[in-house]
């Protein structure tokens, strides 16, 4: 349940932390499409939605698959360009020019990533070059509804027209609401990028990554990054292209990793986020939820939430044997849900209600990360 990035031989100067207006626009579109993912942005989303031109809102729905579930790699075009030194542009206009430099194959593959993708981390035939892959993409689009199918047909038939449509749409979004937001956010993002760069210079990659997110770990050899994310075990390599980190002010709780084949890896991380002091790993989260799913352990928690009990006391009130209770307590303790203290020769167990109270937010953060 992780994404791995091979960074063997990666030189510090090949690690860059740079804000991206286009990536932040992609996150803004995502927040507008899925406001429930971002409870801290409800005021901003409500304000923008209330004054949004109806025609622009319709166009936003027309291609919302590019940013609804998360947002497409199209919003990070600099990672797909052949020049390994390419960084995000300083302005949205510069990054739209970078988007224009992607090949049609790159553009179509990235556009179909979430709904019609037939491969992400591998090199293979594309819908533009292989009739079979094209048919499969259209079948997957049809399963998403007529609007998705119409857009996909247009995309596969005339990529330049859709590219022009998207560029104009993004420019209109900038004029309607994003330029104002970016004017406020870019200072925070630039300050965070400078801070992370200073950490990299003075504390090395481990110190900088620790400040980015506790969900990112570096192995003992310093050659492999692991990002704790729900999903399959995916892998990529930094290689000569280096590693890019892009901060976002609108992104919490999403910690995203671009690991598309042939593109440079990118860590897109939230800044100023209400991240818990020590969020559990996904494995620990699964262990806690599994521990609480058993009806006997739920009954045990009912008692332990109210007061501290010994094993013998729980056995008596629940009508079970002490060894049976001990096995259930051991699982709850392994999951980090209990506190224990000794009173003479007795050990008292109690539910850690603070940990249990955080489970909802931890679950949401884990599945949206």
């Amino acid at each position: 349940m992780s994404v791995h990035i091979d960074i063997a031989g990666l030189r510090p100067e090949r690690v860059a932390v740079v804000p991206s207006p286009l990536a932040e626009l992609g996150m803004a579109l995502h927040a507008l499409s899925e406001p429930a993912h971002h409870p801290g942005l409800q005021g901003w989303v409500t304000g923008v939605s209330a004054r949004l031109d109806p025609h622009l809102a319709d166009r936003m729905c027309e291609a919302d698959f590019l940013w609804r579930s998360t947002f497409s790699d199209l919003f990070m075009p600099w990672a797909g360009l052949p020049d390994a030194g390419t960084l995000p542009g300083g302005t949205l206009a510069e990054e739209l020019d970078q988007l224009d430099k992607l090949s049609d194959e790159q553009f179509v593959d990235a556009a179909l990533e979430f709904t019609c993708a037939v491969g992400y981390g591998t090199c293979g035939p594309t819908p533009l070059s292989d009739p079979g892959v094209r048919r499969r993409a259209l079948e997957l689009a049809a399963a998403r509804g007529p609007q998705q199918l119409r857009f996909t047909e247009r995309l596969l038939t005339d990529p330049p027209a859709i590219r022009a449509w998207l560029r104009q749409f993004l420019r209109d979004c900038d004029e309607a609401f994003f330029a104002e937001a970016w004017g406020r956010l870019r200072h925070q993002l630039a300050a965070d990028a400078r801070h992370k760069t200073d950490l990299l210079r003075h504390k090395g990659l481990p110190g900088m990554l620790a400040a980015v997110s506790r969900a990112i770990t570096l192995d003992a050899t310093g050659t492999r990054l692991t990002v704790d994310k729900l999903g399959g075990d995916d892998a990529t390599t930094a290689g000569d292209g280096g590693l890019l980190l892009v901060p976002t002010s609108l992104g919490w709780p999403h910690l995203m990793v671009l690991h598309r084949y042939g593109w440079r890896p990118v860590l897109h991380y939230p800044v100023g986020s209400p991240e818990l002091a020590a969020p559990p790993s996904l494995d620990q989260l699964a262990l806690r939820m599994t521990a609480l799913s058993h009806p006997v352990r739920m009954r045990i928690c009912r008692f332990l939430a109210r007061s501290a009990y010994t094993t013998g006391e729980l056995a008596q009130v629940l009508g079970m044997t002490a060894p049976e209770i001990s096995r259930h307590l051991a699982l709850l303790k392994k999951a980090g849900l209990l506190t224990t203290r000794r009173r003479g020769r007795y050990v008292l167990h109690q539910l850690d209600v603070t940990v249990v109270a955080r489970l909802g937010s931890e679950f949401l953060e884990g599945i949206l990360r």
Side-chain angles (χ1 to χ4, degrees), residues 346-366:
Y346 297 102
V347 175
L348 295 171
H349 308 278
Q350 194 160 13
L351 188 70
D352 191 333
V353 293
T354 302
V355 171
V356 176
R358 289 203 305 254
L359 275 177
S361 59
E362 288 174 347
F363 173 73
L364 184 63
E365 191 271 344

Side-chain angles (χ1 to χ4, degrees), residues 162-349:
I162 293 297
R163 298 180 71 150
W165 179 94
L166 180 63
R167 182 185 178 99
Q168 185 59 54
F169 169 75
L170 295 175
R171 291 177 62 186
D172 291 344
C173 287
D174 184 49
E175 182 178 346
F177 62 86
F178 182 68
E180 179 185 357
W182 181 248
R184 292 183 290 101
L185 300 176
R186 63 187 179 91
H187 303 292
Q188 179 191 23
L189 297 178
D192 184 83
R194 288 193 298 270
H195 174 60
K196 297 299 191 300
T197 302
D198 287 342
L199 287 175
L200 178 65
R201 185 179 302 114
H202 296 109
K203 295 188 176 182
L205 190 58
M208 187 263 279
L209 292 175
V212 170
S213 173
R214 292 176 177 85
I216 306 173
T217 56
L218 185 63
D219 71 357
T221 66
T223 61
R224 192 190 201 203
L225 287 180
T226 297
V227 185
D228 189 38
K229 285 179 65 70
L230 191 62
D233 277 343
D234 299 310
T236 186
T237 181
D240 294 335
L243 177 68
L244 294 176
L245 293 92
V246 177
T248 169
S249 290
L250 303 176
W252 189 87
H254 305 302
L255 170 64
M256 291 180 283
V257 186
L258 190 161
H259 57 283
R260 178 180 295 278
Y261 179 86
W263 293 42
R264 281 175 291 160
V266 179
L267 295 173
H268 188 242
Y269 66 94
V271 302
S273 64
E275 187 174 12
L276 300 172
S281 68
L282 289 174
D283 288 339
Q284 181 75 354
L285 178 61
L287 182 63
R288 288 177 176 175
M289 299 186 73
T290 300
L292 292 173
S293 67
H294 195 284
V296 171
R297 291 192 286 274
M298 290 182 68
R299 292 178 64 197
I300 290 175
C301 288
R302 181 176 182 272
F303 286 96
L304 298 185
R306 290 165 169 79
S307 183
Y309 283 77
T310 67
T311 301
E313 288 172 334
L314 287 171
Q316 184 176 356
V317 297
L318 293 172
M320 300 173 64
T321 67
E324 288 175 320
I325 294 294
S326 292
R327 285 194 293 270
H328 287 297
L329 289 175
L331 285 170
L332 290 168
K333 187 173 183 180
K334 183 179 180 181
L337 298 171
L338 298 185
T339 61
T340 60
R341 69 179 188 272
R342 182 170 292 278
R343 187 176 63 194
R345 63 189 183 90
Y346 297 102
V347 175
L348 295 171
H349 308 278

Side-chain angles (χ1 to χ4, degrees), residues 9-61:
L10 180 65
R11 301 189 306 276
E13 60 268 24
R14 300 300 297 159
V15 179
V17 188
V18 186
S20 164
L22 182 55
E24 197 71 348
L25 174 52
M27 186 53 69
L29 289 168
H30 168 67
L32 290 168
S33 299
E34 288 289 353
H37 286 194
H38 305 272
L41 298 177
Q42 286 184 354
W44 179 79
V45 168
T46 300
V48 170
S49 300
R51 66 176 187 269
L52 202 60
D53 176 77
H55 179 59
L56 182 60
D58 289 342
R59 292 159 65 202
M60 190 179 297
C61 293

